[in-house]
Amino acid sequence: MRQAFDEMSSTNGHVRPAYETLKQWLSTVPQDVLDHRRKEAEYIFRRIGITFAVYGEQNAQERLIPFDIVPRILTKDEWGRLSKGLEQRVKALNMYIRDVYSKREVLKAGVVPEDLVYKNPAFRPEMNGQRVPHDLYVHIAGIDIVRTDPDTFYVLEDNARTPSGVSYMLENREIMLRLFPELFSMHKVAPVENYADDLLATLRSLSPHGGHEPNVVILTPGIYNSAYYEHSFLADKLGVDLVEGRDLFVKDGIVFMRTTEGPKRVDVIYRRLDDDFLDPLAFRPDSVLGVPGLMSAYQAGNVTLTNAVGTGVADDKAVYSYMPEIIRFYLGEEPLLPNVPTWRCREADHLKYVLEHLPELVVKEVHGSGGYGMLVGPAADKAQIEKFREKLIADPGNFIAQPTLALSTCPTLVEQGIAPRHVDLRPFILSGSDKVRIVPGGLTRVAMKEGSLVVNSSQGGGTKDTWVLDA
């Protein structure tokens, strides 16, 4: 793996223009002051309850996601290129999902293999022929981006179901403004605070009918969900009701919310629970989190679900590998943001190459997430590699492999001072019936451990504020 691109300093030691002011500021602030500000940030996060739990851990406890107080900086030009590529990608994702549940031209043309759709556990036959409001399926997307040099940004993953993390993007900015006003005064940073307004405008634009101001709610699985803080945070920022399944009911094909003043019709549901649990009459009968009859109201066109049911058919890692072809098929354009080169282990020649080069590659489960179930070859020992080899041979279709990218690094505050750590970026793309909205920046995730390439919070990763310079 070649040396990582450092976003602040070039190989000859010169500081990149976007970071010059930050570099100078860091050189004048004592380490103990930075440590004190970091502890202040941690105290604020604890006080307002920004925690998460890791599923699968025995006796899992709520924990903080580490927050790094050194911002990541992108130029206006860099963000301009990114945002155009993000908009293109989400447009293609929406067209692909609509096609998969209707004419299936992409399958007939042989662009995507049929079994990747029909055998996909996220494929929902209930959506076949189902029209959704405004032909939009992915209203809120989180596209994970990595950088390898000054000019190259890759898409690492598409999140088209219920992408999380936007509350951290907003809280990170609020805490940075509180703790480092002097640093903000030295930069012209594009705001992210209007995300809540943009999200509400997007959700309202998706109402299945006009005639009155749409009633929008956020549907949460409840307080025991690992992202519950984000659900309550967004409901508060948007000024909408946060509801659980028991707060809603369906009558005559219409969804209502129980209130102290009687039933109130619901037009748009920003749901933060998986398809399986939405409606016990349509999906898992043992679900106590959903709303009986919700799918019948949805299929009747009386309510919008954000994101639509069945969007997971577009965001697993096998379908990801076909995204460049999908963009060309639907849009007749070259992808503005390239994929990471990917070997599909379901194909014999790809599998052969992967098995021969396991120590050099990153191998991921097709339906995996959160940094689980993956092999980082250069960081693995022989026993781990051989164990993964057995998994690959037993079920090659369940894996893809990619080169071990030298993810870019950003200056990060660690115990020893300021040091480079690997980062990725999750921008959030909002697709409404009126327009696409993207707040400048997104959630930068950082691998806090030296040399680690895994930025996921469940694996010890942290977050940073992302600054897009507005000049």
Side-chain angles (χ1 to χ4, degrees):
M1 186 174 73
R2 63 186 178 84
Q3 185 178 355
F5 165 68
D6 188 278
E7 296 192 11
M8 183 167 75
S9 303
S10 59
T11 51
N12 60 11
H14 290 144
V15 178
R16 302 183 196 282
Y19 276 91
E20 284 176 350
T21 302
L22 175 63
K23 174 71 172 177
Q24 186 176 2
W25 180 83
L26 287 171
S27 68
T28 63
V29 180
Q31 172 80 17
D32 60 336
V33 172
L34 293 175
D35 287 336
H36 179 70
R37 300 272 181 97
R38 177 177 54 78
K39 290 174 183 175
E40 276 190 86
E42 183 177 315
Y43 170 75
I44 295 170
F45 276 126
R46 287 195 184 280
R47 192 182 67 198
I48 60 182
I50 310 181
T51 59
F52 76 106
V54 180
Y55 289 133
E57 282 192 358
Q58 193 171 12
N59 301 321
Q61 293 184 344
E62 295 287 319
R63 63 171 72 164
L64 285 178
I65 295 180
F67 172 62
D68 180 56
I69 61 173
V70 183
R72 180 195 197 169
I73 300 177
L74 297 171
T75 66
K76 188 174 184 178
D77 287 344
E78 289 168 343
W79 178 248
R81 285 188 283 125
L82 268 176
S83 58
K84 287 179 183 176
L86 293 166
E87 186 168 346
Q88 178 197 57
R89 193 163 182 109
V90 173
K91 184 177 181 181
L93 280 170
N94 270 303
M95 295 177 75
Y96 171 72
I97 298 169
R98 180 178 63 186
D99 187 26
V100 159
Y101 289 118
S102 56
K103 296 181 180 179
R104 295 175 182 144
E105 300 290 352
V106 74
L107 305 184
K108 295 172 187 174
V111 176
V112 175
E114 290 188 356
D115 65 301
L116 283 188
V117 172
Y118 298 134
K119 293 184 180 180
N120 191 321
F123 175 69
R124 292 296 178 190
E126 299 86 354
M127 292 296 291
N128 286 332
Q130 171 69 34
R131 291 296 301 272
V132 298
H134 314 289
D135 280 334
L136 290 170
Y137 291 77
V138 182
H139 316 120
I140 303 167
I143 308 296
D144 293 345
I145 302 290
V146 295
R147 187 178 193 178
T148 56
D149 61 46
D151 301 312
T152 308
F153 294 90
Y154 287 105
V155 174
L156 185 64
E157 190 170 310
D158 302 298
N159 296 280
R161 305 183 210 195
T162 53
S164 62
V166 76
S167 62
Y168 294 98
M169 176 188 80
L170 296 172
E171 290 285 24
N172 288 354
R173 175 60 55 86
E174 194 169 317
I175 285 177
M176 287 294 290
L177 283 166
R178 184 185 304 186
L179 295 181
F180 300 100
E182 73 281 10
L183 190 55
F184 271 93
S185 69
M186 303 174 191
H187 297 82
K188 191 175 181 182
V189 182
V192 298
E193 296 79 15
N194 57 338
Y195 177 85
D197 293 336
D198 285 351
L199 176 56
L200 185 59
T202 298
L203 294 173
R204 284 177 171 166
S205 79
L206 297 166
S207 176
H209 47 75
H212 64 274
E213 184 172 289
N215 183 27
V216 177
V217 300
I218 297 178
L219 176 60
T220 176
I223 61 173
Y224 297 108
N225 183 267
S226 64
Y228 180 75
Y229 171 80
E230 179 157 296
H231 307 166
S232 59
F233 174 88
L234 287 173
D236 180 60
K237 289 290 185 183
L238 270 64
V240 303
D241 288 298
L242 180 66
V243 299
E244 297 182 27
R246 60 191 175 186
D247 300 317
L248 304 178
F249 68 94
V250 177
K251 183 178 180 181
D252 299 329
I254 296 174
V255 181
F256 293 92
M257 175 176 62
R258 294 181 172 90
T259 77
T260 56
E261 299 175 353
K264 183 178 181 181
R265 181 169 180 166
V266 173
D267 304 296
V268 180
I269 300 175
Y270 177 15
R271 48 85 172 225
R272 295 298 296 259
L273 67 162
D274 296 338
D275 292 352
D276 278 341
F277 302 98
L278 276 174
D279 182 350
L281 300 183
F283 304 119
R284 282 184 54 160
D286 61 340
S287 172
V288 296
L289 302 175
V291 184
L294 179 57
M295 276 302 290
S296 65
Y298 184 53
Q299 290 168 333
N302 291 328
V303 69
T304 297
L305 295 177
T306 298
N307 284 338
V309 173
T311 53
V313 77
D315 73 357
D316 71 45
K317 293 174 178 60
V319 173
Y320 158 90
S321 69
Y322 290 93
M323 276 305 296
E325 291 90 342
I326 288 171
I327 290 170
R328 295 183 190 105
F329 182 76
Y330 291 112
L331 302 179
E333 302 169 357
E334 284 301 306
L336 298 175
L337 293 174
N339 268 22
V340 177
T342 303
W343 290 274
R344 306 170 188 127
C345 297
R346 67 200 304 273
E347 299 177 17
D349 55 335
H350 286 210
L351 176 63
K352 182 176 184 293
Y353 179 88
V354 171
L355 290 173
E356 290 173 353
H357 297 83
L358 269 182
E360 308 161 19
L361 302 174
V362 175
V363 186
K364 303 175 182 178
E365 291 181 352
V366 166
H367 301 290
S369 63
Y372 294 106
M374 64 186 286
L375 174 78
V376 181
D381 58 33
K382 286 186 178 180
Q384 290 171 320
I385 290 172
E386 291 311 308
K387 185 177 180 181
F388 233 87
R389 187 185 305 278
E390 292 173 8
K391 288 183 179 180
L392 274 168
I393 294 170
D395 188 11
N398 191 40
F399 297 93
I400 57 98
Q402 296 171 330
T404 306
L405 296 180
L407 305 187
S408 64
T409 62
C410 286
T412 302
L413 180 63
V414 296
E415 286 187 13
Q416 297 78 20
I418 301 296
R421 293 291 184 267
H422 296 288
V423 293
D424 79 352
L425 177 66
R426 176 175 292 181
F428 296 91
I429 303 91
L430 305 175
S431 299
S433 65
D434 52 349
K435 63 179 180 177
V436 175
R437 300 169 172 89
I438 312 176
V439 296
L443 179 67
T444 288
R445 301 185 298 179
V446 54
M448 301 300 291
K449 299 174 185 174
E450 185 176 3
S452 174
L453 297 171
V454 183
V455 300
N456 306 78
S457 56
S458 55
Q459 307 293 310
T463 67
K464 284 175 168 285
D465 191 13
T466 310
W467 291 10
V468 174
L469 299 185
D470 205 15

